Amino acid sequence: MKQYKTYRAGIDVGSTTAKVVIINENFDLIFSKYQRHSAKILETVRNFFLAILEQEGNCLLNIHLTGSAGLGLSKKLSIPFAQEVICTNEIIKKKYPQVNTVIDIGGEDSKMIFLNKGKPPDIRMNGACAGGTGAFIDQIASLLNLTPLQLNNLARSSTCIYPIASRCGVFAKTDVQNLLSRNVPPADIAASVFHAVAIQCINTLARGFNIRPKIVLCGGVFAFLPELVKNFLKVLKISESDLITPGRPELLPAIGAAMYKKFNQNELSTLSIQEVIDKFDKDRQFASFHQNRIRALFKNDDEFTEWKNKNKSLNIRKLPLEEYQGDKCFLGIDSGSTTTKITVIGNNKELLFGWYKNNNGNPIKTLITGLSLFKNQILKTNPNLKIVKSCVAGYGEDLIKTAFGIDKGIVETIAHYEAARHIEPEVSFVLDIGGQDMKALFIENGIINRIELNEACSSGCGSFIETFADSLNFSVSEFGKMACDAKMPCDLGTRCTVFMNSKVKQSLRENASIEEISAGLSYSVIKNCLFKVLKLNDMSDMGDHIVLQGGTFKNPSIVRALEILSGKDVKYTDIPELMGAFGTALIAHKDYKNNPAHKTTFTDLSKLAQVEKYKTKQIHCKGCENTCAITIFTFPNEKKFYSGNKCTKFHSAQKEKTQKGFNFPKFKNELLFNRAMAVHKKPILTLGIPRCLNLYENFPFWHTLFTQCGINVKLSSQSTMKLSEKGMGTIMSDSICFPAKLAHGHIYDLAEQKVDRIFYPIVMYERN
């Protein structure tokens, strides 16, 4: 009988990837595998063991599990579990004793270990926020239609870093979209994303501890994204000689799990490969726990079919271009943050053309593509057809209006109301859920009397579902259909994407199916909308004439979830994703009927190619210390568009015959700070005062007090993003406001000026 060897094995099951290693008694790597599990954790890990069986035969393994999704698997398999940070510390302690700091970034979590010789290590993990992790990088890469590796390759040729929010994927997406619309080079955007990750990770984890070399960077993102490593070193101001690079940084926690020994040796689980595989194959061990489950969207396939056949979908009247007899048409455009929508309607408001496409950060080029398609169709079918009026709404309204000479720009909420009123004249409530934003209109007696928008969270929006579907390797339509088949949907709550990820991982540990998770997410979208954004306590606030719009409602499971949770019947069209653009086309139609003599300013379709020949110029505004990067768009129609900030300091200066107004901020700053600091030749001491918080406006008082007492004063520099980064890693709380975080940079700035003392009083009460 063949005698098989006994090895030590470590399995690291994270939020997005699974890793397995086998080592011998000398800690040499015998076998390893790293793979994204796409939520199919059991199947992925079982396949690992099949691969081990094929390579090593039915050997014996002393196994430890680790990772954020490893605990549930540990309980099911009756295999010991070790916390992943402890495992990482285990291998660092044994193989890299010279290391002082370990930074580990995973799919949705990040860790930092501060090693103190002869003392227990200080271990930090991210809590509520997944900013600065692999999932954050995945989201931004997906927005740019790139893989993370392509993002890394782009970053190599960057020349400038732009500020990008890293705390939340929603804010980051908005920042990235803004940079794309300004024609910022993709290489600079890629490097800025990595810079943001480094800043977020250090701010979240260091919390007053010095990140001392030598350091180890481990985890998949560091293993596969060398440009991220460079950004970390640059932000930390650490040279490459102070970096220790393990051979397989992505496997360190798994190797640490294999090396891990508890004081109780009975904790070790020695199993043959076949015994482990048999454990996976026993279905009874992996039955769902069925905890926290909610009502199925549909009882069975028959109910789903009956629901689809109900006359709830109000189809917009359409007419093929070749059948349209008129020579006039009306153009409506919805230029959103992530997508561009075009509709063209005829004299009787029939839809002649509809088009929807992701704008990939270039709304001008995308719109030209869609309009060119329309132009080609009318050349074949109705060459005499002319656009006599045009209207635009959405995120890119001002840019598109300038570039194409659009006749009118309209607030998108009004466009959605017009579209809703077209299909339901007595509409009482309109809910539009797009990719990153949500709008709810409450209407009474034909008048909008309340508007609610999501401000800081996109967890109830289309990109929320799309991100989850992508992470599980499904299209959005497949994912939505799966939800309709779920028998016991998971209750995933109404919190943000980060918390939802934790809920999803918990459901996966309970062996919930993808169908059950998809249905749970559909419920969560609506719960987030109704209870978190709209804060509805009484469903009667919506009235009885509810219209749904936005691409999210192409997903039948979300429509059904809204019906169940609200107890209301709803109306929606067969083109929910185009309703914003349809509303703008209706407004263009109305404007033309009111004033048919008015000639359109819209660029002729034959000149679309010329629009794309616009020029851009990057400059920095000198209006204040922020020195905002401004992009000037100059179009062939000689119109200009300025992108990069919202203030008027730069814009006003560009317009001829514009009289400059009184610069009150400059006047105020001079009143506050235009004072002699070095008053005394031999001062008692030089006192540093941070230019922040309540010390800012109280500076005249403190300056007078101290200089009258024989003390010289030094003031910290003006607030800038660069100054704010000086204080990173010293902030003890994630939840304090940005001005309070900025104060840390001011303190560092004063320390660099080598003042004798820094004045930072605790003022409990101030008289106005």
Side-chain angles (χ1 to χ4, degrees), residues 203-486:
N203 274 336
T204 304
L205 301 177
R207 296 184 186 173
F209 268 72
N210 287 327
I211 299 175
R212 297 181 294 120
K214 294 192 180 306
I215 68 169
V216 164
L217 303 177
C218 60
V221 294
F222 288 127
F224 305 121
L225 305 175
E227 289 302 311
L228 180 64
V229 174
K230 289 181 183 177
N231 268 276
F232 261 82
L233 295 178
K234 186 177 179 181
V235 168
L236 292 170
K237 298 178 181 174
I238 291 175
S239 66
E240 287 193 31
S241 61
D242 288 323
L243 175 67
I244 291 176
T245 306
R248 299 290 299 276
E250 75 277 17
L251 299 178
L252 280 193
I255 297 171
M259 297 168 66
Y260 183 71
K261 285 185 181 180
K262 282 195 173 180
F263 295 112
N264 181 5
Q265 284 299 106
N266 294 329
E267 175 75 14
L268 288 174
S269 177
T270 304
L271 298 165
S272 71
I273 299 293
Q274 193 58 55
E275 284 177 316
V276 178
I277 294 170
D278 290 343
K279 280 176 175 283
F280 280 97
D281 292 338
K282 289 179 181 175
D283 292 337
R284 59 184 177 83
Q285 285 186 281
F286 304 117
S288 295
F289 291 114
H290 298 312
Q291 294 178 352
N292 301 318
R293 299 306 174 93
I294 47 184
R295 169 183 167 179
L297 294 169
F298 300 99
K299 294 176 184 176
N300 48 47
D301 290 342
D302 291 339
E303 186 183 23
F304 182 32
T305 302
E306 183 182 345
W307 180 82
K308 285 192 295 184
N309 291 336
K310 277 186 180 180
N311 188 25
K312 289 184 178 179
S313 178
L314 301 174
N315 293 343
I316 296 294
R317 190 163 72 91
K318 303 177 186 66
L319 189 67
L321 274 170
E322 58 269 21
E323 296 178 18
Y324 182 58
Q325 299 299 316
D327 60 353
K328 299 180 180 67
C329 63
F330 310 90
L331 172 67
I333 299 166
D334 181 359
S335 180
S337 58
T338 58
T339 56
T340 296
K341 286 81 71 176
I342 301 172
T343 58
V344 179
I345 63 174
N347 285 318
N348 298 316
K349 303 178 184 178
E350 61 271 61
L351 185 66
L352 305 176
F353 178 81
W355 191 77
Y356 176 104
K357 191 173 176 64
N358 191 305
N359 59 34
N360 297 321
N362 193 331
I364 293 175
K365 185 176 180 180
T366 306
L367 187 56
I368 289 172
T369 302
L371 291 174
S372 297
L373 186 64
F374 174 63
K375 179 187 73 172
N376 293 337
Q377 288 190 19
I378 63 175
L379 286 175
K380 293 177 184 176
T381 58
N382 192 345
N384 297 321
L385 188 62
K386 299 291 182 186
I387 294 172
V388 294
K389 204 72 174 179
S390 57
C391 183
V392 62
Y395 181 86
E397 174 195 332
D398 293 334
L399 175 63
I400 296 301
K401 186 179 178 185
T402 305
F404 292 87
I406 303 294
D407 297 300
K408 186 173 187 176
I410 193 77
V411 177
E412 55 189 305
T413 48
I414 303 300
H416 283 283
Y417 172 53
E418 286 292 330
R421 194 167 61 172
H422 177 75
I423 65 167
E424 174 52 271
E426 297 181 17
V427 59
S428 60
F429 178 76
V430 181
L431 179 60
D432 168 56
I433 302 183
Q436 291 183 39
D437 48 25
M438 176 192 306
K439 296 172 281 291
L441 314 180
F442 295 82
I443 297 140
E444 190 173 348
N445 299 323
I447 297 172
I448 301 173
N449 65 2
R450 177 181 161 198
I451 298 175
E452 296 287 348
L453 308 171
N454 66 321
E455 294 177 352
C457 178
S458 76
S459 63
C461 299
S463 61
F464 172 73
I465 293 287
E466 187 177 4
T467 299
F468 270 98
D470 286 346
S471 70
L472 301 176
N473 290 331
F474 291 104
S475 68
V476 177
S477 58
E478 287 176 317
F479 200 58
K481 173 63 174 69
M482 293 168 79
C484 298
D485 297 332

Side-chain angles (χ1 to χ4, degrees), residues 292 294-295 297 431 433 438 457-462 464-465 468 479 483 489-497 499-504 507 516-534 552-553 555 557-562 564-565:
N292 301 318
I294 47 184
R295 169 183 167 179
L297 294 169
L431 179 60
I433 302 183
M438 176 192 306
C457 178
S458 76
S459 63
C461 299
F464 172 73
I465 293 287
F468 270 98
F479 200 58
C490 303
D491 186 356
L492 301 175
T494 60
R495 303 294 295 279
C496 80
T497 307
F499 295 107
M500 209 75 70
N501 285 338
S502 299
K503 287 273 194 176
V504 169
S507 298
E516 291 164 342
I517 289 171
S518 178
L521 289 171
S522 296
Y523 271 115
S524 292
V525 164
I526 299 304
K527 284 181 179 178
N528 180 76
C529 169
L530 298 181
F531 309 129
K532 186 178 174 187
V533 176
L534 303 181
T552 300
F553 289 114
N555 183 335
S557 65
I558 295 179
V559 178
R560 178 62 173 163
L562 177 61
I564 291 172
L565 291 169

Side-chain angles (χ1 to χ4, degrees), residues 551-616:
T552 300
F553 289 114
K554 285 185 77 71
N555 183 335
S557 65
I558 295 179
V559 178
R560 178 62 173 163
L562 177 61
E563 285 187 335
I564 291 172
L565 291 169
S566 67
K568 304 267 188 181
D569 282 341
V570 299
K571 293 182 178 179
Y572 58 99
T573 70
D574 55 339
I575 54 164
E577 75 280 15
L578 294 176
M579 290 301 279
F582 186 68
T584 58
L586 291 173
I587 291 169
H589 180 278
K590 184 196 294 185
D591 285 357
Y592 180 79
K593 296 299 180 186
N594 291 338
N595 187 8
H598 184 271
K599 194 173 181 180
T600 183
T601 58
F602 175 66
T603 301
D604 192 275
L605 289 175
S606 63
K607 298 178 181 177
L608 287 175
Q610 294 181 19
V611 177
E612 201 171 0
K613 295 177 182 177
Y614 63 89
K615 296 177 181 177
T616 59

Side-chain angles (χ1 to χ4, degrees), residues 1 6 12 43 91 94 101 145 157 167 172 180 192 211 217 344 398 519 534 539 580-581 583 615 624 642 656 660 687:
M1 184 176 178
T6 300
D12 176 10
E43 182 182 327
I91 183 171
K94 289 179 179 175
T101 311
N145 280 335
S157 54
R167 172 73 196 251
L180 287 168
S192 300
I211 299 175
L217 303 177
V344 179
D398 293 334
L534 303 181
M539 295 303 162
K615 296 177 181 177
C624 70
Y642 305 99
E656 295 180 7
K660 294 185 75 171
L687 193 67

Side-chain angles (χ1 to χ4, degrees), residues 731-752:
I731 300 156
M732 303 304 291
S733 169
D734 273 344
S735 58
I736 63 171
C737 63
F738 181 72
K741 292 179 179 179
L742 183 61
H744 290 241
H746 284 278
I747 299 298
Y748 259 83
D749 183 66
L750 288 170
E752 289 173 354

